[in-house]
Amino acid sequence: MAMPKKSRRQEQHEEKAWTLDAPGEEILALFGAGAVTAAGEAVSSESAMRVPAVAAAIRTIAETVASLPIHVFKRSADGGRERDRDHAAAKVLERPAPWLDAYTFKLRLVLDAIRHGRGIAVAARGGGEVRELHRIAPGALRVEHDDLTGEPAYVLTPKTGGERRYEWVDVVDIVPVPSDGAPPSLIHLGREAIGFAAILQKHGSRLFANGARPSGLLSFEGNLSATEIRNRIAVWNAAHGGAKSGGTAAMDRKAEYTALTLSSVDAQFLELWRFAILEIARLFRLPPHMLGELDRATHANSEEMGLQFVSYTLRPWLDLIEGALSRVLLSEAERETHFLEFQLDDLTRGNIATRFAALHTAIGGPFLTTNEGRAIENRPAIEGGDALNQPQGVVAPRADAGATVQDEPSANLRVVA
């Protein structure tokens, strides 16, 4: 007897939405649970944010990406490009939804992608065009993949019941760490390093709370009553405590003061804490100085580390988001003539003296016009600023220069003697 043929949907493998039978990090967090590390610390997307270095790393990436503008550009026939402000996608990027500004939209998507492994928004279309983008909470969508092609489809189960199915052309799906199953979050991948930092943080708190050490000991000859001990401590603190330290001590009987210092084990705690910060910086591919670890940061290398942040930390995120938005906001035909791009000018420009010196060099030669240089600095064009400045001793080529001299490499320039 022939077996019934499976439908296309049955041949797909699924990334299910989170349930009590298969809880995700969000459900575990509701019960105060999370992945338990070797250090004995349970780490979830919520508890990880209580580690300052982790919170700083996540906020640095998400807030920087959210602050960068993304525009629609049109390719010109001469290989250049120009911003297309009238494209429908440009209006959606400026305000993805009436209740959601562009900054918050990008911020929530990147936060979801870092903390939960995936950031998702669905398109609301009208007249065949995308009118709005709606962010979907982590775990609310079930993702189905075709076994042969890997083509994804997304199934939303609203609280009101039923199912709503979205094709990939209607879903902005940002997955920083792809996987054959449910994509892991960076928090999950780095839970051991985060748990280690959390344990150190708790140890430091206990060290200066229940097990705090005084700055020194006062020793007296003979036995003192409890009242005498309290009186002498009060006199000492009144005379030498706080801003009065450093004065001359005087007691009514022979006394000895012994200063207390941290033991070698406690001093090593500072090194371990620095190592924990470096581990978290590695997890998020951040330069350590962006997490407040300035041990190797100098004035000479700070600018270079800033460029590394743009190239190796932000650039992969920006490419990922540009691709995800392009798949939804641009049709297949439009992707031949249009593209989306984040603007990095504010991050890559140097200090004002270096920047102006570079522009002066470019505008002073046959490379940029005055108005092109002014446009880089977001300044309006001026009259007569569209002509290239020719270097001294060089004049512009004549219209018939190519016809008279074709084989000479410098035929397009005439040097004035």
Side-chain angles (χ1 to χ4, degrees):
M1 180 178 178
M3 297 295 292
K5 186 177 180 180
K6 292 183 178 181
S7 66
R8 176 183 175 87
R9 183 172 180 178
Q10 288 175 314
E11 291 176 349
Q12 295 172 335
H13 66 275
E14 301 180 356
E15 297 173 24
K16 295 184 178 180
W18 297 333
T19 64
L20 290 177
D21 293 329
E25 289 187 359
E26 296 298 325
I27 292 182
L28 290 174
L30 291 177
F31 299 95
V36 179
T37 65
E41 185 74 9
V43 175
S44 67
S45 60
E46 297 299 327
S47 64
M49 292 294 288
R50 290 194 286 270
V51 178
V54 176
I58 293 176
R59 290 187 59 190
T60 297
I61 296 173
E63 292 174 2
T64 304
V65 172
S67 67
L68 294 174
I70 180 171
H71 299 316
V72 182
F73 290 93
K74 183 178 182 180
R75 298 182 180 91
S76 56
D78 59 359
R81 65 176 185 175
E82 59 180 346
R83 183 178 172 184
D84 191 344
R85 300 175 182 269
D86 298 325
H87 195 282
K91 298 178 175 59
V92 177
L93 291 174
E94 290 178 0
R95 181 161 289 278
W99 61 89
L100 197 62
D101 59 87
Y103 178 91
T104 305
F105 174 75
K106 290 179 285 186
L107 180 67
R108 296 298 296 271
L109 278 187
V110 177
L111 285 175
D112 290 344
I114 295 176
R115 298 174 60 197
H116 308 289
R118 167 171 265 147
I120 289 184
V122 298
R125 294 184 180 270
E129 293 183 344
V130 178
R131 302 297 184 182
E132 296 176 2
L133 290 174
H134 302 161
R135 176 243 179 194
I136 302 297
L141 279 177
R142 182 176 76 251
V143 186
E144 300 177 354
H145 296 272
D146 187 274
D147 285 338
L148 296 178
T149 64
E151 178 182 343
Y154 303 82
V155 181
L156 174 65
T157 305
K159 295 180 180 179
T160 55
E163 287 187 347
R164 185 178 301 172
R165 192 177 184 86
Y166 295 92
E167 300 301 324
W168 62 269
V169 293
D170 288 324
V171 178
V172 178
D173 190 6
I174 301 173
V175 181
V177 185
S179 174
D180 291 335
S185 68
L186 292 177
I187 300 297
H188 178 77
L189 293 176
R191 62 183 182 273
E192 293 294 340
I194 297 172
F196 178 64
I199 288 292
L200 288 177
Q201 186 171 305
K202 289 183 177 180
H203 171 72
S205 298
R206 288 191 295 266
L207 175 65
F208 294 102
N210 298 331
R213 290 174 172 81
S215 60
L217 294 175
L218 276 176
S219 302
F220 297 92
E221 288 186 348
N223 296 326
L224 297 179
S225 67
T227 302
E228 289 177 319
I229 292 175
R230 287 194 297 269
N231 291 339
R232 281 166 174 77
I233 291 175
V235 170
W236 180 274
N237 289 335
H240 307 290
K244 301 176 182 178
S245 62
T248 302
M251 300 299 290
D252 61 350
R253 69 167 62 187
K254 186 175 182 181
E256 181 180 353
Y257 178 80
T258 304
L260 296 182
T261 59
L262 290 175
S263 67
S264 59
V265 175
D266 294 331
Q268 188 66 25
F269 167 79
L270 300 177
E271 292 298 324
L272 290 174
W273 184 243
R274 184 177 293 110
F275 172 78
I277 294 176
L278 292 177
E279 282 291 274
I280 293 172
R282 293 187 187 101
L283 171 64
F284 294 98
R285 292 195 301 187
L286 280 171
H289 78 285
M290 304 202 76
L291 298 183
E293 175 49 58
L294 306 176
D295 187 46
R296 298 182 182 276
T298 65
H299 179 73
N301 65 13
S302 59
E303 184 175 352
E304 179 61 29
M305 287 192 292
L307 293 177
Q308 289 179 2
F309 169 67
V310 174
S311 299
Y312 302 114
T313 305
L314 288 184
R315 188 74 264 176
W317 280 101
L318 302 183
D319 289 344
L320 186 64
I321 298 171
E322 288 169 358
L325 289 172
S326 296
R327 288 192 298 270
V328 176
L329 297 179
L330 302 178
S331 66
E332 185 175 355
E334 287 177 327
R335 286 197 288 271
E336 297 294 328
T337 58
H338 290 74
F339 63 95
L340 308 182
E341 185 176 86
F342 278 94
Q343 301 305 293
L344 299 173
D345 295 345
D346 290 340
L347 296 180
T348 55
R349 62 173 57 187
N351 60 60
I352 189 169
T354 304
R355 195 167 72 249
F356 281 8
L359 285 175
H360 181 269
T361 302
I363 296 173
F367 180 62
L368 290 180
T369 65
T370 300
N371 283 340
E372 288 172 337
R374 292 177 63 84
I376 293 175
E377 292 298 316
N378 296 316
R379 296 180 179 274
I382 61 174
E383 184 177 355
D386 293 323
L388 283 173
N389 295 327
Q390 298 295 333
Q392 186 177 6
V394 178
V395 297
R398 296 180 305 176
D400 59 346
T404 56
V405 184
Q406 297 182 356
D407 297 330
E408 297 181 12
S410 59
N412 61 328
L413 297 178
R414 292 189 295 111
V415 179
V416 178

